Amino acid sequence: MQEKKYLKWYHKIGYGSGDVAGNCVYALLTAFMMIYLTDTIGLSMGIVSTLIAASKIFDGITDFFFGRMIDKTHTKMGKARPWMLWPYIGCAITLVACFSIPTSWGQTAQYIFFFLSYTLLNAVFFTANNIAYASLTALITKNTSERVQIGSFRFIFAFATKIVIEAVTIFAVSWLGGGVVGWRMIAIIYAVVGLIVNTISVFSVKELPEEEEADAEKKEENQMTFLQSFKVLLKNKYYVIICCSYILTQLYASVIGMGTYYTKYIMGNEEIFSTISLAINITMVAALIVLPMVIKKMGGMYKLNIFGYIIAALGRVGVMVGGYMGNLPLMLAFTAVSTIGI
């Protein structure tokens, strides 16, 4: 029997555009925040890295907190959309704060200012917004095919945004005056763009009535305490497997985030980072366009995941070989191969 359809094409595009807003924060932080703090402000990479690691502990706690809060929310807008809408205002403010470290302050005060700004951005506002955004997939449609489609739209928008941000940011900072002023201005621009697009995305979809999406099991789950929910998660081997996989993915993303340093200090030209980013992101968008067809052809996601990890790992080995040889075209070619796997 054919599944009921819930979404029009403009709903899918509207939902997917939410990752434009997300990557106005995420792509800027992962690719450029460290080099801004160390090379523009003059902070220690070791201390900054330690502060980020400490902030991630709070992030892990708030993930569970906001997940529970979304479950317990009941408004005319639904459960998740309010948490996607309002926290992004905080995202915009704290994103600008992260790239507005007062240069007249002493270093201890600068470290404190950064830690508070980054923790509020990453562990509070962005976490609330992002968890709500991810939750919407299950709250706006029960059609499995539509969920795959909006997931593809989401990632296409995400990596298209990464293409633009990683390709133009270094040039834009220079054009806006360079140094502290240039970084602050580019953060303001991305914050405003993100705020506008996030608002559009929120109001482009509607959540299903709770009586339609909820069932007895869901109601029983909502009655569980925070600690009970946490214990249930740890007993779920599939959650643990996915969690470990996600940690490895984040480690990989962190290494990619060091690309600005690699191109500046090893390859001698930081503008090469834009070229490498294009090799990653254009390939990613192209692969995501055909992903739903590939999943259908292979009869599901399990085999595709296995092949994807193998291709990605072999591609990264090729990138390392190209790096040791100092061969940029070879690095770009294997970067594209690895990206297909990812």
Side-chain angles (χ1 to χ4, degrees), residues 63-196:
D63 282 345
F64 288 102
F65 172 77
F66 285 116
R68 293 292 296 171
M69 290 301 294
I70 290 169
D71 278 341
K72 294 178 180 295
T73 297
H74 307 279
T75 70
K76 291 181 179 180
M77 286 182 64
K79 299 164 70 69
R81 289 200 302 156
W83 290 98
M84 183 179 168
L85 178 64
W86 303 115
Y88 202 91
I89 298 173
C91 285
I93 294 170
T94 50
L95 178 65
V96 174
C98 283
F99 285 87
S100 302
I101 308 295
T103 54
S104 60
W105 292 9
Q107 282 207 334
T108 300
Q110 288 177 331
Y111 286 125
I112 294 171
F113 184 93
F114 163 71
F115 179 73
L116 293 176
S117 300
Y118 181 80
T119 301
L120 284 171
L121 171 59
N122 196 60
V124 180
F125 299 120
F126 186 71
T127 292
N129 169 269
N130 205 245
I131 289 179
Y133 181 48
S135 300
L136 273 179
T137 304
L139 296 174
I140 61 177
T141 178
K142 295 195 294 183
N143 186 302
T144 53
S145 177
E146 286 183 338
R147 289 180 180 178
V148 171
Q149 289 171 10
I150 61 176
S152 294
F153 272 107
R154 175 182 176 178
F155 285 108
I156 288 170
F157 274 106
F159 288 102
T161 307
K162 276 173 60 65
I163 288 174
V164 174
I165 289 178
E166 293 178 357
V168 308
T169 295
I170 291 176
F171 301 102
V173 168
S174 178
W175 184 75
L176 291 167
V180 174
V181 174
W183 283 110
R184 183 170 61 245
M185 287 303 299
I186 201 68
I188 291 172
I189 291 170
Y190 289 148
V192 172
V193 171
L195 190 59
I196 294 171

Side-chain angles (χ1 to χ4, degrees), residues 33-340:
M33 187 184 67
M34 283 293 291
I35 202 162
Y36 159 75
L37 293 171
T38 57
D39 288 30
T40 301
I41 303 300
L43 301 182
S44 164
M45 181 185 290
I47 296 176
V48 169
S49 300
T50 303
L51 292 176
I52 291 174
S55 178
K56 293 296 182 182
I57 297 173
F58 292 107
D59 192 16
I61 296 171
T62 55
D63 282 345
F64 288 102
F65 172 77
F66 285 116
R68 293 292 296 171
M69 290 301 294
I70 290 169
D71 278 341
K72 294 178 180 295
T73 297
H74 307 279
T75 70
K76 291 181 179 180
M77 286 182 64
K79 299 164 70 69
R81 289 200 302 156
W83 290 98
M84 183 179 168
L85 178 64
W86 303 115
Y88 202 91
I89 298 173
C91 285
I93 294 170
T94 50
L95 178 65
V96 174
C98 283
F99 285 87
S100 302
I101 308 295
T103 54
S104 60
W105 292 9
Q107 282 207 334
T108 300
Q110 288 177 331
Y111 286 125
I112 294 171
F113 184 93
F114 163 71
F115 179 73
L116 293 176
S117 300
Y118 181 80
T119 301
L120 284 171
L121 171 59
N122 196 60
V124 180
F125 299 120
F126 186 71
T127 292
N129 169 269
N130 205 245
I131 289 179
Y133 181 48
S135 300
L136 273 179
T137 304
L139 296 174
I140 61 177
T141 178
K142 295 195 294 183
N143 186 302
T144 53
S145 177
E146 286 183 338
R147 289 180 180 178
V148 171
Q149 289 171 10
I150 61 176
S152 294
F153 272 107
R154 175 182 176 178
F155 285 108
I156 288 170
F157 274 106
F159 288 102
T161 307
K162 276 173 60 65
I163 288 174
V164 174
I165 289 178
E166 293 178 357
V168 308
T169 295
I170 291 176
F171 301 102
V173 168
S174 178
W175 184 75
L176 291 167
V180 174
V181 174
W183 283 110
R184 183 170 61 245
M185 287 303 299
I186 201 68
I188 291 172
I189 291 170
Y190 289 148
V192 172
V193 171
L195 190 59
I196 294 171
V197 176
N198 183 77
T199 304
I200 293 172
S201 181
V202 167
F203 289 104
S204 68
V205 294
K206 289 185 178 180
E207 296 180 30
L208 299 174
E210 286 195 46
E211 59 269 17
E212 185 173 348
E213 58 90 15
D215 54 28
E217 184 180 348
K218 181 83 174 174
K219 291 175 182 176
E220 181 181 343
E221 180 184 305
N222 286 340
Q223 293 172 357
M224 298 173 69
T225 66
F226 176 87
L227 186 59
Q228 288 173 328
S229 299
F230 186 73
K231 288 180 178 179
V232 168
L233 279 177
L234 294 182
K235 291 179 181 178
N236 186 325
K237 67 177 182 180
Y238 301 107
Y239 169 79
V240 174
I241 291 170
I242 291 172
C243 185
C244 292
S245 175
Y246 184 75
I247 290 171
L248 293 174
T249 302
Q250 290 302 302
L251 288 173
Y252 167 79
S254 299
V255 173
I256 295 299
M258 294 295 101
T260 47
Y261 289 101
Y262 185 84
T263 55
K264 183 175 182 178
Y265 293 109
I266 304 300
M267 305 185 77
N269 183 0
E270 63 181 328
E271 293 180 1
I272 295 175
F273 179 75
S274 298
T275 305
I276 295 175
S277 296
L278 286 173
I280 294 173
N281 294 318
I282 290 177
T283 308
M284 186 74 77
V285 171
L288 285 168
I289 290 172
V290 301
L291 183 60
M293 292 179 284
V294 176
I295 292 174
K296 188 174 182 180
K297 185 76 173 178
M298 298 191 71
M301 301 185 192
Y302 179 77
K303 290 181 180 178
L304 188 61
N305 266 308
I306 298 297
F307 286 127
Y309 279 120
I310 293 171
I311 293 170
L314 292 176
R316 295 314 298 173
V317 171
V319 172
M320 288 190 287
V321 172
Y324 281 117
M325 294 172 61
N327 189 325
L328 180 59
L330 190 64
M331 291 178 67
L332 293 174
F334 277 112
T335 295
V337 171
S338 176
T339 304
I340 291 172

